[in-house]
Amino acid sequence: MRRSLAVLALIVPACCDSAVASAADDLTVADFESKTYSPWSVTGNAFGAGPARGTLPGQMSVDGYQGEGLVNSFFEGDKTTGTLVSPPFRIERDYIGFLIGGGKDPERLALQLMIDGEIVRTATGLNDQAGGSESLEQDSWDVKEFKGSQASIRIVDQATGGWGHINVDYIVQTDERPAGPIRNAERSLIADAQFLNFPIKNGAPKRTVTLLVDGKVAVVNTMELADGQVDWWAPMDVRQWADKELTVRVDQLPESSHALSHLDVLDERKRSDNLYQEPKRGQFHFSPARGWNNDPNGMVYYNGEYHLFFQHNPYGWGWGNMHWGHAVSRDMVHWTELRDELLPDQMGPMFSGSAVVDWNNTSGFGKNGKPPLVLFYTAAGSPTIQGLAYSNDGRNFTKYDGNPIIDEVTAGNRDPKVIWHEPSQHWVMVLYVELEGKHTVHFYTSKNLRDWELASISEGDSPGGRYLFECPDFFELAIDGDPANKKWVLTAADSVYAIGTFDGKRFTPEHERLPGHRGRGFYAAQTFSDIPEKDGRRIQIGWWQTETRGMPFNQSMTIPLELRLVSTDDGPRMTFTPVQELDQLRQETHDLGSFTISEGDANPIDDIRSDLIELQVEFDPGDASEVIFNIRDVMVVYDPKNQELRVDDRTVPAPMRGGKQKLTIYCDRTGVEVFASDGLCYVPLPFNMDATNNRLHFEVRGGQVDVQSLRVHELRSAWPAK
């Protein structure tokens, strides 16, 4: 733009004599440097009494504006709404330029050019998902066709919730197109290798990135594309489109952006020389090679492999772009990540669900006498629906062309868990539904996995209507291993569970709101379906909320946990114990046998140094007041008198069993998982462990402890060696 005329007011109204300015000069419409918005008119309370002076309370840092003031509708947070309208002015230049940021919602968050009461141009911010950036960016409208017309500008904030605000500054008329975004920028490449690598800059504005294959839309994602310096590379597996033309279209990019020129089709993930050896990578906890993960999904045993699907954002460090990631293992310890299988589509992003093997081909999806693997998922569009996809090889999946299989228009219906109920000879779907402000679990039945009927609704009797919240799992367990005495268990995302009976249509709880894990950072756990009957175990994996800043991946999964029901004085309760397959990670064992230890004795495990540890101890606490383990600066303390276990800042019940206590502690680079009381107490705690501290410490206070056994196993990584 050319130099702008100096202005003392907020706006140059239409009455001003344009002859003052030469054709070469820009005309400032508004710079928002005054203390009030006058002569603009204001409604609502989103914009405050006058232009903001940068960042408002509770807001991420705002930058990219000019001068000291700007329009910022985050006044009192995202809950406020309102409008801001300029006085009329005459359009006298070819372009109107402006700086804009905040939320992305063309209908409810907009900068609008109005002529004769009609909206003729509009712009919105860049952010519509968690994360993002509060930076304002240059944008403009071509207004040549409106030259000489009377116009006004309206700024609208009618949005509430996340990113429910808009930022605007420095609106100017100019004859030179401002350096602004290139809209629908494109680059075409040939899929002649495995991975299309996208450059990512954490915290950059989110762009809508569309992949077209031979001219047809294949998938749409949002990405924090790197215009310049690259933080990490997000690989997209493009083998399914081998040798076809790929076109990457970005909704808008700065003219100076190198994002499209950075794109690379290679047979490797770019910048992955230390893959799985990164300093904050859990070494025996699954995490995806790149991007964000949350809920485990579709856990199933099929064709000799454990399949772990999971909520995956392949193109961002934070949540978004929900795909179903996919990994397989023969032992639940060593995982191979495959390509993402369920991609966002016109029905919405792919939220959580489950998987079954249709052994009798009731669905008709099987071929050549082989049972299909069937996935059930929530597509979180508008409305939210339940869909299915199927496969005959566990590698290639087809979304059912009859989707949705359930499309009730009820708020928050999601996370279908499907099981086969043998006595009733039908399938059962357990679905979380928010119904009239209450958390409920709906039970559906089907003969063919395609057609479903509502059988019952379970609300529980908890105060306030809170029953079990999202991500339900449903399975049967024998009490104390007795196959003649089984109960059904219904679990929720927070690990709270209920125990009761099930007749094929209705769950009748006998024990409700029972606590599951006792730690933190554990959520949305699911169990494997179709584990062979001769094995008979019920095995669970949860989302472990291990934040790994500075890494090209984020979050992970817990170790696999075997679930049982055992009798207690309070009734049956569920236990959590590590699966035996983890034993193969033991690289060196320090067996200290049995001994007694008293207050003031030397640390018996002082010579052991390792960042990957499994510690097993059984002891009679005697008259000791505390039994203390320090595992790489994580304190694990047992209080025999109160029969409580303290792990870091968590103090939880841990009853002795037969007058003794058993502890098992797993320590990885990303935290600890502690088991006590034969699994009645399970405490997962994510940490970013100090890489320089591999020390272990054991002591007692207030008396003498009789240690029956103490073994410390130094563990090897489960990831492939470089």
Side-chain angles (χ1 to χ4, degrees):
M1 292 182 287
R2 301 183 188 276
R3 68 177 180 86
S4 176
L5 287 179
V7 289
L8 299 177
L10 182 70
I11 187 166
V12 179
C15 61
C16 293
D17 187 355
S18 63
V20 173
S22 71
D25 290 324
D26 294 344
L27 299 175
T28 301
V29 177
D31 60 11
F32 302 108
E33 294 301 302
S34 299
K35 292 183 179 180
T36 70
Y37 288 118
S38 179
W40 290 53
S41 59
V42 185
T43 66
N45 52 5
F47 299 99
R53 290 304 188 252
T55 306
L56 293 174
Q59 188 176 27
M60 291 192 298
S61 179
V62 178
D63 58 40
Y65 58 96
Q66 185 166 307
E68 296 182 357
L70 77 155
V71 174
N72 183 345
S73 71
F74 194 75
F75 182 72
E76 295 185 350
D78 278 330
K79 65 181 181 294
T80 53
T81 59
T83 62
L84 188 59
V85 182
S86 77
F89 64 93
R90 187 164 56 248
I91 297 177
E92 301 182 59
R93 299 290 185 266
D94 291 347
Y95 301 94
I96 294 177
F98 46 86
L99 301 171
I100 190 166
K104 181 179 182 179
D105 187 333
E107 300 297 324
R108 298 183 299 166
L109 293 170
L111 176 70
Q112 300 168 338
L113 180 66
M114 311 285 294
I115 297 179
D116 295 332
E118 299 292 328
I119 301 170
V120 296
R121 295 287 187 271
T122 188
T124 188
L126 299 170
N127 304 281
D128 58 1
Q129 296 186 29
S133 168
E134 289 280 14
S135 293
L136 281 72
E137 294 197 354
Q138 181 69 60
D139 205 343
S140 64
W141 296 314
D142 185 329
V143 293
K144 298 185 193 75
E145 65 185 285
F146 304 121
K147 262 189 169 180
S149 299
Q150 292 286 305
S152 62
I153 286 177
R154 181 170 65 184
I155 304 174
V156 177
D157 179 354
Q158 295 299 321
T160 57
W163 284 115
H165 64 278
I166 188 169
N167 303 326
V168 175
D169 195 20
Y170 199 61
I171 305 171
V172 62
Q173 296 194 55
T174 179
D175 278 331
E176 291 185 358
R177 180 182 174 275
I182 301 172
R183 302 190 186 280
N184 296 319
E186 292 186 353
R187 183 183 172 194
S188 294
L189 310 95
I190 300 299
D192 55 3
Q194 181 175 354
F195 296 110
L196 171 58
N197 289 274
F198 290 89
I200 304 297
K201 179 68 174 177
N202 292 332
K206 291 187 176 182
R207 313 293 185 185
T208 301
V209 180
T210 303
L211 179 72
L212 300 96
V213 179
D214 287 344
K216 296 182 179 179
V217 174
V219 66
V220 180
N221 291 287
T222 58
M223 301 186 196
E224 296 173 336
L225 290 175
D227 297 319
Q229 183 178 355
V230 179
D231 283 344
W232 56 281
W233 295 85
M236 177 185 287
D237 192 323
V238 294
R239 283 176 295 180
Q240 59 186 310
W241 303 301
D243 299 321
K244 294 185 177 181
E245 183 180 62
L246 309 177
T247 299
V248 177
R249 177 185 298 158
V250 185
D251 61 339
Q252 60 181 47
L253 285 173
E255 289 183 344
S256 59
S257 175
H258 296 284
L260 287 177
S261 62
H262 281 325
L263 295 174
D264 231 342
V265 181
L266 301 169
D267 277 323
E268 67 269 356
R269 299 177 179 93
K270 204 164 183 178
R271 203 187 293 172
S272 60
D273 293 345
N274 67 336
L275 182 61
Y276 302 125
Q277 310 305 316
E278 302 95 339
K280 295 183 182 178
R281 173 84 68 177
Q283 292 299 287
F284 52 89
H285 290 84
F286 174 79
S287 56
R290 294 290 181 264
W292 160 281
N293 78 264
N294 51 287
D295 308 358
N297 297 152
M299 292 170 55
V300 64
Y301 187 82
Y302 180 69
N303 284 351
E305 294 177 315
Y306 296 93
H307 291 253
L308 171 62
F309 297 88
F310 53 94
Q311 292 285 278
H312 190 205
N313 180 4
Y315 312 113
W317 189 83
W319 185 92
N321 296 319
M322 284 293 95
H323 296 55
W324 272 34
H326 187 197
V328 294
S329 173
R330 294 196 176 274
D331 59 11
M332 296 179 287
V333 177
H334 301 90
W335 292 96
T336 299
E337 187 176 356
L338 306 176
R339 73 184 183 201
D340 291 330
E341 280 304 334
L342 300 183
L343 278 58
D345 60 22
Q346 69 276 9
M347 292 186 179
M350 300 289 102
F351 278 18
S352 292
S354 59
V356 295
V357 181
D358 184 8
W359 292 104
N360 297 316
N361 197 25
T362 63
S363 62
F365 295 134
K367 291 182 179 179
N368 302 320
K370 295 182 179 180
L373 174 58
V374 186
L375 310 182
F376 298 87
Y377 60 89
T378 296
S382 182
T384 299
I385 62 94
Q386 316 309 316
L388 70 78
Y390 59 91
S391 172
N392 288 284
D393 61 5
R395 294 295 188 272
N396 299 286
F397 290 81
T398 301
K399 288 178 180 174
Y400 175 42
D401 59 11
N403 284 334
I405 55 173
I406 296 178
D407 61 353
E408 292 181 340
V409 184
T410 51
N413 61 99
R414 58 184 180 271
D415 313 327
K417 173 67 177 186
V418 174
I419 64 167
W420 173 256
H421 189 250
E422 181 65 23
S424 302
Q425 290 292 293
H426 63 215
W427 298 98
V428 175
M429 178 188 291
V430 186
L431 188 70
Y432 167 76
V433 178
E434 183 182 338
L435 186 64
E436 297 178 353
K438 294 182 178 181
H439 302 293
T440 70
V441 178
H442 285 39
F443 290 82
Y444 293 81
T445 61
S446 174
K447 292 290 187 181
N448 59 12
L449 295 175
R450 305 179 190 221
D451 305 303
W452 294 87
E453 293 183 359
L454 179 63
S456 66
I457 299 174
S458 188
E459 298 184 31
D461 58 5
S462 299
R466 179 175 172 81
Y467 187 44
L468 297 176
F469 178 58
E470 71 178 6
C471 301
D473 198 356
F474 193 52
F475 47 85
E476 196 174 26
L477 288 175
I479 298 178
D480 301 322
D482 181 2
N485 185 17
K486 292 184 176 181
K487 293 292 182 181
W488 284 87
V489 180
L490 177 63
T491 69
D494 60 1
S495 192
V496 167
Y497 65 98
I499 299 172
T501 60
F502 183 62
D503 63 6
K505 292 187 176 182
R506 183 175 298 277
F507 173 65
T508 303
E510 299 169 345
H511 307 272
E512 295 190 81
R513 299 294 301 167
L514 301 175
H517 81 87
R518 299 290 189 145
R520 65 168 180 265
F522 176 102
Y523 200 73
Q526 293 287 295
T527 59
F528 285 102
S529 70
D530 295 282
I531 289 179
E533 187 175 348
K534 63 181 180 180
D535 183 320
R537 292 178 296 171
R538 176 61 56 173
I539 298 172
Q540 181 185 75
I541 291 176
W543 166 27
W544 207 24
Q545 296 169 347
T546 51
E547 185 177 271
T548 50
R549 292 192 179 275
M551 299 289 103
F553 57 90
N554 189 13
Q555 312 292 302
S556 62
M557 299 295 178
T558 64
I559 59 175
L561 308 165
E562 182 176 357
L563 305 182
R564 298 182 179 93
L565 281 182
V566 300
S567 298
T568 74
D569 292 342
D570 298 317
R573 293 296 184 266
M574 196 158 63
T575 64
F576 304 76
T577 54
V579 297
Q580 62 190 21
E581 285 85 349
L582 291 164
D583 295 356
Q584 64 190 290
L585 295 176
R586 295 169 181 169
Q587 183 168 253
E588 183 176 353
T589 296
H590 305 269
D591 190 342
L592 282 74
S594 61
F595 58 94
T596 59
I597 182 171
S598 301
E599 183 171 358
D601 285 353
N603 172 19
I605 55 177
D606 188 52
D607 293 335
I608 303 172
R609 299 285 187 275
S610 180
D611 62 340
L612 309 178
I613 289 292
E614 176 196 355
L615 184 148
Q616 298 173 311
V617 62
E618 181 177 4
F619 58 87
D620 179 340
D623 57 352
S625 60
E626 288 185 326
V627 181
I628 302 169
F629 290 89
N630 183 329
I631 309 296
R632 300 185 61 198
D633 272 350
V634 177
M635 301 301 296
V636 180
V637 181
Y638 187 65
D639 175 352
K641 180 181 179 180
N642 295 309
Q643 298 195 42
E644 291 179 335
L645 181 69
R646 175 165 58 86
V647 184
D648 191 53
D649 60 350
R650 312 285 288 192
T651 300
V652 300
M656 287 191 284
R657 306 278 282 174
K660 298 178 183 179
Q661 183 58 272
K662 293 180 183 179
L663 299 179
T664 299
I665 304 170
Y666 278 86
C667 176
D668 202 343
R669 295 176 183 175
T670 47
V672 297
E673 292 180 75
V674 182
F675 303 83
S677 307
D678 295 329
L680 285 169
C681 176
Y682 166 51
V683 186
L685 286 178
F687 290 97
N688 284 318
M689 308 296 280
D690 181 357
T692 66
N693 184 356
N694 293 337
R695 299 193 63 180
L696 308 177
H697 185 83
F698 173 32
E699 66 173 293
V700 301
R701 292 179 184 168
Q704 180 176 284
V705 170
D706 182 12
V707 177
Q708 272 80 53
S709 64
L710 173 59
R711 295 182 182 87
V712 180
H713 307 285
E714 298 182 42
L715 304 182
R716 61 174 60 87
S717 173
W719 297 112
K722 283 289 184 180

